[in-house]
Amino acid sequence: MKSKDILIILTLIVVGTYFSIVGLIEAGGFLKPLAIAVLLTLICIPLCRKLEGWNFSKGLSAFVSVLLSLLAFLSFFVIISAQVANVSDRWPEIKSKAKPKLEEFQQKITEKTGLNLQQQLGMFGFSGQTSGSKPSEESEQELDSNQSSDRTNSDSQPSPEKIVSNASQEVRIIVMNFFSFLSSTVLTFVYLFFLLLYRNKVKLSILKFFSEKNRKEAEEVMSHTVELGLNFIVGRFILIVFLAIIYSIGLSISGIENAILISVIAAILSLVPFIGNIIGYVLAIVMAVFAGTELGGIIGVSLTFGLAQFVESYILEPYVVGSKVEVNPLVTIMAVILGGSIWGIAGMILSIPIAGIAKIIFDATPALKPIGYALGEEDVDGADEQNFLSKWGEKLWNKFSKK
């Protein structure tokens, strides 16, 4: 009976988790704008309170906060679009500079390992014949058959109607994607306005789920949770802005082209501990090498990222974000991977704040404190927490051991 109960509970957890993830994927079109709006609400609450302290009405303070958020979003979008357009315009030049370096790198690998280009590509999951390799007899037969079919196809050129139809299809897909992005953006800011306007009503609505006896305690827990969540989200936002500024200044001084684009990407990637910083550093180095930067520029990139890591670890994180709601790297990486598999890039960006807020809620709920402790950073003096974990485990074991 005991084993059966445990098996039933584990089965329900697995099935519930599966259908929850499937539901999140299917409802992504509705939930993604709402989730982004909730996080923006936490960021804008201090601004709303400041405006209301200046005798602004709730509606006007919410409108001003949304307007400033929209201006910040448009500024970010314009800067990134300009940087991407610059990379696109200069792509042939970057490609011409990168090609000899890649060929030289491939040649060195061949000299050291004895592997030709086709074998090197096969190690990374790529296949196909290269221009320098000799095709086998089967590939020659396939090539002959393909050439004959190409000759027959070349006799019948596509009609103008078909070309127009294909072009209209591509234009329609681009227009649909643009309007989908535009509608999601507008919906996000609409959610943001009403969440700011009715934030007190949302709080009171949640408190009504508790009895009069427990409502005061629930209000204290909720206020503490919202305060920590607010500090966490705002702190992370400030951290990203500071890192982007540090990266931009350092990479610009080092002579790296498209420094702003690389800096913003590296600052956002810093949300993922260790891995994000490494990816941002490698991206900056690769762009510097492909652009033909000298050794001094590469050293400048390394010094910039080293300085940024020092400032982030010893100045920004302890004083801006705080250590009470920090999530350990293992949970962070798992959350990013899970968020990416559910909602793509938006899920990866949202996963870190959601994990931090979840830890805050778990820490504030007595029954869920062990999970909150498991999500947090490693502590030096963790005797009390470990004793609490052991006691909680004994209670759980005794519960299932009862006949």
Side-chain angles (χ1 to χ4, degrees), residues 175-398:
V175 171
M176 288 178 63
N177 290 335
F178 172 75
F179 278 103
S180 175
F181 171 76
L182 185 62
S183 62
S184 298
T185 303
V186 172
L187 189 59
T188 299
F189 286 103
V190 170
Y191 284 148
L192 175 61
F193 173 76
F194 286 107
L195 285 172
L196 289 172
L197 183 62
Y198 296 114
R199 63 183 187 273
N200 292 331
K201 189 174 183 63
V202 172
K203 178 181 177 181
L204 294 175
S205 300
I206 296 174
L207 290 175
K208 285 184 178 295
F209 283 98
F210 299 91
S211 62
E212 294 288 341
K213 181 181 178 181
N214 299 325
R215 187 168 295 177
K216 185 176 180 180
E217 181 181 357
E219 185 175 2
E220 292 178 358
V221 171
M222 187 175 178
S223 299
H224 182 63
T225 302
V226 171
E227 183 180 357
L228 285 178
L230 177 64
N231 294 336
F232 175 75
I233 299 299
V234 174
R236 277 294 174 188
F237 179 76
I238 294 174
L239 182 66
I240 291 175
V241 172
F242 270 101
L243 286 177
I245 294 173
I246 294 173
Y247 289 146
S248 298
I249 294 174
L251 296 182
S252 299
I253 294 175
S254 303
I256 306 300
E257 298 178 356
N258 305 112
I260 297 178
L261 178 62
I262 299 173
S263 301
V264 172
I265 295 174
I268 295 175
L269 286 173
S270 66
L271 289 171
V272 184
F274 307 121
I275 295 179
N277 296 325
I278 293 174
I279 294 175
Y281 173 69
V282 171
L283 175 64
I285 290 293
V286 169
M287 292 296 292
V289 172
F290 283 175
T293 306
E294 300 297 331
L295 180 61
I298 296 176
I299 294 175
V301 172
S302 302
L303 291 176
T304 299
F305 274 81
L307 176 63
Q309 287 305 302
F310 176 81
V311 173
E312 177 187 1
S313 300
Y314 296 100
I315 299 176
L316 294 178
E317 272 197 6
Y319 296 101
V320 176
V321 180
S323 59
K324 291 184 178 179
V325 293
E326 283 300 311
V327 181
N328 67 67
L330 175 61
V331 175
T332 302
I333 294 171
M334 293 173 61
V336 169
I337 295 174
L338 181 61
S341 62
I342 294 176
W343 286 347
I345 296 177
M348 296 175 70
I349 296 174
L350 291 170
S351 60
I352 308 299
I354 290 175
I357 293 174
K359 181 187 182 303
I360 295 169
I361 296 174
F362 294 154
D363 288 338
T365 307
L368 300 176
K369 276 188 176 180
I371 301 178
Y373 176 75
L375 296 179
E377 290 279 7
E378 183 70 20
D379 54 345
V380 179
D381 186 12
D384 294 335
E385 288 84 353
Q386 291 174 1
N387 291 332
F388 178 79
L389 280 174
S390 62
K391 291 178 182 179
W392 185 80
E394 289 177 4
K395 289 181 180 179
L396 185 63
W397 175 256
N398 294 332

Side-chain angles (χ1 to χ4, degrees), residues 113-151:
T113 63
L115 299 175
N116 57 31
L117 179 59
Q118 183 180 359
Q119 291 171 331
Q120 294 173 24
L121 293 176
M123 294 176 61
F124 294 97
F126 297 98
S127 61
Q129 299 291 341
T130 60
S131 59
S133 59
K134 294 182 179 180
S136 61
E137 294 181 359
E138 294 180 358
S139 62
E140 287 179 353
Q141 294 175 359
E142 292 178 359
L143 183 61
D144 292 338
S145 62
N146 291 332
Q147 288 176 350
S148 60
S149 62
D150 290 339
R151 292 192 195 97

